[in-house]
Amino acid sequence: MNKIVSKEHFSANVVKLEVEAPLIARSRKAGHFVIVKVGEKGERIPLTIAGADTEKGTITLVIQTVGGSSRKICDLNVGDYITDLVGPLGQATHVEKVGTVVCAGGGVGVAPLLPIVEAFHKAGNRVIVVLAARTKDLVILEEQMRANADEVIIMTDDGSYGAKGLVTNGVESVINREKVDMCVTIGPAVMMKFVSALTKKYEIPTVASLNTIMVDGTGMCGACRITVGGKTKFVCVDGPEFDAHQVDFDEMIMRLGAYRNIEKK
Amino acid sequence: MTTEEMIAARRAEPWREALRKSKKNKERADIPRVKMNELDPEYRSHTRLEEVNLGLTKEQAMQEAQRCLDCPNPTCMQGCPVSINIPTFIKNVERGEFLEAAKVLKETSALPAVCGRVCPQEKQCESKCIHLKMGKEAVAIGYLERFAADYERESGNISVPEIAEKKDIKIAVIGSGPAGLSFAGDMAKRGYDVTVFEALHEIGGVLKYGIPEFRLPNKIVDVEIDGLRKMGVHFFSNCIVGKTISYEDLHAEGFKGVFVASGAGLPNFMNIPGENLVGVMSSNEYLTRVNLMDAANPESDTPVLQGKKVAVIGGGNTAMDSVRTARRLGAERAIIVYRRSEDEMPARLEEVKHAKEEGVEFMTLHNPVEYIGDDKGCVKQMKLQRMQLGEPDASGRRSPVPVEGAIETIDVDEVIVSVGVSPNPLVPRAFEGLEVSRKGTIVVNEESMKSALGDVYAGGDIVRGGATVILAMGDGRRAAAAMDADLQSL
């Protein structure tokens, strides 16, 4: 099990893997994640499921190289095996018909956003996707998003593709022109913090999918704990999605840096 | 044959009668209790992987076994949650039949090498030893159990218990900790086709991620798990029942009974200011990183904080394991902070003694009220409230009350919170119709371990909250007996 059946490079640092995992493919829903470990001495890291094919019995993972463990996964090739793969974990996205939903994604957060976009669109919502990247080469999954959304807005930091500006500029432009009933955001913690601050101003209910440090992913250790509405929550079992306006993003960003100095290369 | 009759019949065997007569009870009682050989405290407080207790030599074991009076009504057995036939195995040690002794252990215990190491014998079998009534020290039953199990393993002659005729009935076990393994062993012996589903990538539950190498080496756990494999038990890791597969899937696959032993994995926190600072973590996280992920090994990809001034909050075995681990990872100060006094500490006496010998400081009657961080959000100090003991509470223990105004601040760079665990909610959430208590434990009949769902039994920490390895194993045994009886009567 866990054999890699296809591999695609989205950019120099971002890889899409399709992995054999029939049980997970069958039971996963939008918003779920898996824990992956490569090699005997490998680390357990969380990755959100970006898609699944129940007939082929595969799930899709999109991974960005940010350190030693993600590089190990990105270096795997077709025919290689992921040593350990467990899931689906976390609570699935709560999907219902709410009206107009803006889905704002940045970096590799765009990959786990895709199944959520699909699900909201299927549920009969008007779905507007805002994709943000530093530069044109880093924009991923644009076509797949277009196939599942009513509109896709691309934002790049340097203006090399789409409009110039940050994800928040794109989201605000939509808010300024039409009624938005809900916002979903996935991306770097700082990005989600600013999207959340923006939608709070307009009182638009917002869900963020949080990507904290995890070890087991089953609620056993609390490495992933964050403060939501003044209460400690475990992202792996209570989340990963939370009411963004209740999340203490500053604390979350601080905790993400816990192992910065001792992270293994 | 009833248990009493079996005990009597074994006791009446000629070799055993001869052995009893070979020495007067007075002589036996006068032999001093054996001392376990152990590593030097200074040396061992810097070595992460070497086991502290070195075990008994053959000579020590045979001498200690002579202390046992071979009582006709062995009260020690009542103190053992899995009812090991204690005098029978000990008398086999006395006559030098060590492999035979190991076989006796395996009749009722799936993990003797584990239990001999981690059971709080002073509260169980040894607390009921006849010697205590005569003002003598109890027979070292735990040491002898460990000796027999280790001897068998090292001899290369590991026996596989007799298996009843295969029944072709599939049984699922959720969780591969002590409760699940004990249940699996008993059901396999009865001829059932047993599959154990484990969420983590390793089999063994707390025996692997929790209890450190210096107390319970993983390779010893693995040998006992291999023993279960040889009995035909299947293990399926990286599979979470309730997530990867459902209760309905188990039925569709033809499983006729389910034993839930998913443990109390959810760590409790105290909800005090600063508890989410970097450097404050649960003992589950800390021990999982070090034990399961081997994080202190440079070869491992998993990092772990290696603090110099480490405080561990709590007084149980998990707290002792954490603080002794911190010492081994280079802590110059490793402190136990416990809100009651040492008399109330739930940890095994031996672990407390070992921790002290290894230079662990004990701040009893102290309770943290706040953690203070630096400008990067890392913990740098903790505020401790001094406590005193008040009236006994509902549990009979004297409850700690704050001494007004007595607050001190001490420097720390790592805090490990070890104030208990709650039942893991994954299975209770996923199994519709299970009765769950306010605390999140699965409600079962205490005799049969049967839950509100007809084919689901549960045991260990998912039923008890945080308890001990051997109580979990006792639950596994009772559930196996009850499930077998129920399935036979169908």
Side-chain angles (χ1 to χ4, degrees):
Chain A
M1 254 197 304
N2 311 339
K3 185 176 170 184
I4 293 170
V5 296
S6 82
K7 179 178 182 177
E8 187 183 331
H9 277 274
F10 278 157
S11 68
N13 284 328
V14 180
V15 165
K16 177 183 144 183
L17 298 178
E18 208 183 343
V19 189
E20 262 176 17
L23 294 175
I24 303 176
R26 200 185 56 177
S27 49
R28 72 98 211 186
K29 291 195 176 73
H32 278 145
F33 68 94
V34 290
I35 292 269
V36 170
K37 173 173 162 285
V38 177
E40 210 40 53
K41 294 284 171 195
E43 184 182 13
R44 293 170 67 95
I45 63 167
L47 294 170
T48 313
I49 303 169
D53 185 328
T54 46
E55 272 174 27
K56 279 163 75 185
T58 59
I59 60 168
T60 305
L61 303 172
V62 176
I63 311 111
Q64 179 176 26
T65 308
V66 287
S69 294
S70 50
R71 187 175 318 117
K72 262 193 184 172
I73 299 170
C74 290
D75 285 349
L76 294 175
N77 290 308
V78 173
D80 290 344
Y81 288 82
I82 292 180
T83 321
D84 294 286
L85 177 65
V86 62
L89 297 164
Q91 304 290 326
T93 309
H94 180 72
V95 179
E96 57 180 344
K97 189 169 176 190
V98 292
T100 300
V101 181
V102 171
C103 296
V108 282
V110 171
L113 192 61
L114 180 60
I116 297 173
V117 166
E118 284 172 5
F120 271 99
H121 200 245
K122 251 191 209 142
N125 292 285
R126 170 171 160 77
V127 179
I128 301 165
V129 177
V130 182
L131 296 184
R134 275 206 322 281
T135 182
K136 184 181 176 184
D137 297 342
L138 302 176
V139 175
I140 61 169
L141 295 170
E142 184 189 339
E143 262 174 59
Q144 290 90 330
M145 288 291 185
R146 287 199 190 280
N148 288 285
D150 295 279
E151 186 184 346
V152 174
I153 296 169
I154 312 261
M155 304 296 301
T156 49
D157 290 8
D158 59 1
S160 54
Y161 186 50
K164 183 172 159 58
L166 300 171
V167 71
T168 40
N169 301 120
V171 173
E172 197 159 23
S173 71
V174 180
I175 295 171
N176 285 336
R177 78 171 194 226
E178 65 182 292
K179 182 171 178 290
V180 174
D181 298 290
M182 185 183 168
C183 178
V184 181
T185 181
I186 313 183
V190 179
M191 187 204 101
M192 292 190 283
K193 175 185 163 175
F194 283 105
V195 169
S196 169
L198 173 76
T199 57
K200 195 171 185 178
K201 199 170 78 182
Y202 292 98
E203 291 174 7
I204 296 166
T206 298
V207 169
S209 177
L210 306 185
N211 46 356
T212 52
I213 290 175
M214 287 189 192
V215 182
D216 62 288
T218 62
M220 204 182 86
C221 81
C224 63
R225 68 195 188 278
I226 51 152
T227 305
V228 181
K231 290 203 175 95
T232 294
K233 298 276 179 188
F234 290 7
V235 171
C236 68
V237 288
D238 301 316
E241 291 174 11
F242 293 94
D243 175 353
H245 297 159
Q246 300 291 320
V247 172
D248 184 341
F249 281 105
D250 291 329
E251 180 192 85
M252 179 186 156
I253 290 164
M254 178 191 91
R255 289 184 58 80
L256 279 170
Y259 288 95
R260 192 152 292 149
N261 297 327
I262 49 172
E263 208 149 288
K264 297 183 176 176
K265 295 295 169 233
Chain B
M1 221 194 309
T2 66
T3 313
E4 287 73 25
E5 285 164 353
M6 174 133 101
I7 291 170
R10 285 179 140 179
R11 192 171 175 272
E13 283 181 52
W15 69 265
R16 201 140 144 203
E17 278 190 24
L19 201 61
R20 259 198 314 278
K21 283 183 188 141
S22 70
K23 230 178 190 69
K24 290 197 172 70
N25 276 357
K26 168 96 179 49
E27 280 176 76
R28 293 181 183 276
D30 283 345
I31 303 170
R33 179 177 156 122
V34 69
K35 295 267 178 291
M36 176 70 82
N37 300 315
E38 49 191 48
L39 288 179
D40 170 66
E42 170 56 25
Y43 171 78
R44 74 183 192 232
S45 63
H46 303 289
T47 168
R48 197 165 51 82
L49 300 174
E50 286 177 69
E51 202 179 357
V52 169
N53 278 339
L54 300 172
L56 302 181
T57 62
K58 272 189 212 176
E59 294 70 27
Q60 282 177 314
M62 288 169 80
Q63 172 156 336
E64 181 64 23
Q66 289 178 18
R67 296 183 67 231
C68 170
L69 305 185
D70 200 5
C71 304
N73 173 24
T75 45
C76 52
M77 285 179 66
Q78 296 159 17
C80 174
V82 297
S83 309
I84 285 177
N85 198 326
I86 292 169
T88 302
F89 101 78
I90 290 185
K91 288 301 125 181
N92 272 302
V93 174
E94 184 180 341
R95 68 166 173 162
E97 292 290 340
F98 306 136
L99 294 175
E100 201 52 38
K103 264 191 196 160
V104 174
L105 292 172
K106 284 192 177 169
E107 290 167 4
T108 58
S109 171
L111 313 165
V114 172
C115 292
R117 286 171 166 80
V118 305
C119 276
Q121 287 95 2
E122 73 261 19
K123 292 180 188 149
Q124 295 177 327
C125 53
E126 293 180 18
S127 78
K128 302 267 166 91
C129 176
I130 188 80
H131 282 309
L132 294 176
K133 291 206 175 118
M134 305 181 299
K136 306 264 183 187
E137 284 188 277
V139 173
I141 301 167
Y143 290 176
L144 291 171
E145 178 183 23
R146 173 187 158 146
F147 169 80
D150 285 357
Y151 182 89
E152 187 198 39
R153 185 183 62 253
E154 284 157 16
S155 74
N157 270 316
I158 297 186
S159 65
V160 176
E162 228 170 274
I163 308 284
E165 200 184 324
K166 292 274 183 216
K167 285 191 168 61
D168 200 27
I169 298 176
K170 285 166 77 177
I171 303 296
V173 183
I174 304 177
S176 69
L181 294 179
S182 160
F183 174 89
D186 272 16
M187 288 304 266
K189 263 183 236 168
R190 290 180 163 95
Y192 291 93
D193 179 5
V194 182
T195 304
V196 180
F197 297 92
E198 167 58 47
L200 288 171
H201 58 274
E202 284 262 0
I203 303 300
V206 73
L207 308 175
K208 284 280 181 63
Y209 74 76
I211 304 174
E213 287 290 295
F214 57 79
R215 204 148 77 80
L216 178 64
N218 281 348
K219 63 174 200 296
I220 284 171
V221 181
D222 281 333
V223 170
E224 302 216 324
I225 290 167
D226 268 350
L228 291 170
R229 279 204 180 91
K230 287 189 187 123
M231 289 163 66
V233 176
H234 311 286
F235 289 97
F236 193 177
S237 59
N238 290 317
C239 183
I240 307 179
V241 177
K243 290 279 184 188
T244 315
I245 57 174
S246 66
Y247 179 43
E248 291 71 31
D249 290 336
L250 291 177
H251 289 158
E253 294 286 325
F255 286 95
K256 296 291 180 228
V258 181
F259 180 59
V260 181
S262 50
L266 214 60
N268 295 340
F269 286 91
M270 293 170 65
N271 299 314
I272 58 175
E275 211 168 23
N276 288 350
L277 286 166
V278 173
V280 182
M281 70 187 93
S282 71
S283 42
N284 267 10
E285 177 181 352
Y286 185 64
L287 293 173
T288 299
R289 284 179 185 274
V290 177
N291 299 331
L292 183 72
M293 307 310 296
D294 198 17
N297 177 352
E299 300 285 304
S300 164
D301 293 343
T302 303
V304 65
L305 204 59
Q306 294 177 270
K308 293 290 172 213
K309 288 167 285 192
V310 183
V312 176
I313 317 303
N317 286 319
T318 314
M320 296 306 143
D321 287 344
S322 302
V323 80
R324 296 173 69 199
T325 297
R327 215 32 205 130
R328 285 161 170 77
L329 299 197
E332 286 149 16
R333 272 191 95 178
I335 312 164
I336 283 284
V337 177
Y338 182 56
R339 64 195 181 125
R340 290 184 159 100
S341 73
E342 197 175 314
D343 288 341
E344 287 85 27
M345 274 195 179
R348 287 177 86 212
L349 289 179
E350 188 175 51
E351 310 315 324
V352 174
K353 170 182 154 278
H354 280 159
K356 284 183 173 168
E357 289 168 356
E358 289 161 13
V360 170
E361 295 171 52
F362 279 65
M363 291 184 82
T364 51
L365 290 166
H366 279 80
N367 200 32
V369 287
E370 184 181 352
Y371 303 109
I372 300 162
D374 63 14
D375 54 0
K376 291 193 177 68
C378 298
V379 65
K380 63 169 186 180
Q381 286 178 317
M382 63 192 300
K383 278 191 183 166
L384 298 179
Q385 163 74 60
R386 247 196 96 77
M387 311 295 278
Q388 59 189 2
L389 289 180
E391 295 302 307
D393 62 13
S395 72
R397 291 195 297 183
R398 292 179 67 190
S399 48
V401 270
V403 179
E404 190 118 358
I407 290 192
E408 55 191 297
T409 303
I410 65 167
D411 291 347
V412 285
D413 58 7
E414 185 170 5
V415 175
I416 296 157
V417 182
S418 190
V419 295
V421 282
S422 296
N424 194 303
L426 283 173
V427 169
R429 275 185 198 170
F431 281 39
E432 214 176 308
L434 264 190
E435 193 187 336
V436 179
S437 75
R438 203 170 40 82
K439 286 182 173 167
T441 53
I442 295 177
V443 178
V444 295
N445 173 304
E446 277 176 36
E447 281 307 307
S448 66
M449 310 308 287
K450 194 170 180 167
S451 77
L453 285 173
D455 63 342
V456 178
Y457 298 64
D461 283 1
I462 190 68
V463 165
R464 297 172 176 273
T468 61
V469 167
I470 190 70
L471 287 174
M473 293 186 56
D475 289 352
R477 289 213 79 203
R478 280 207 309 288
M483 190 188 282
D484 178 43
D486 285 354
L487 288 169
Q488 299 279 13
S489 69
L490 283 183

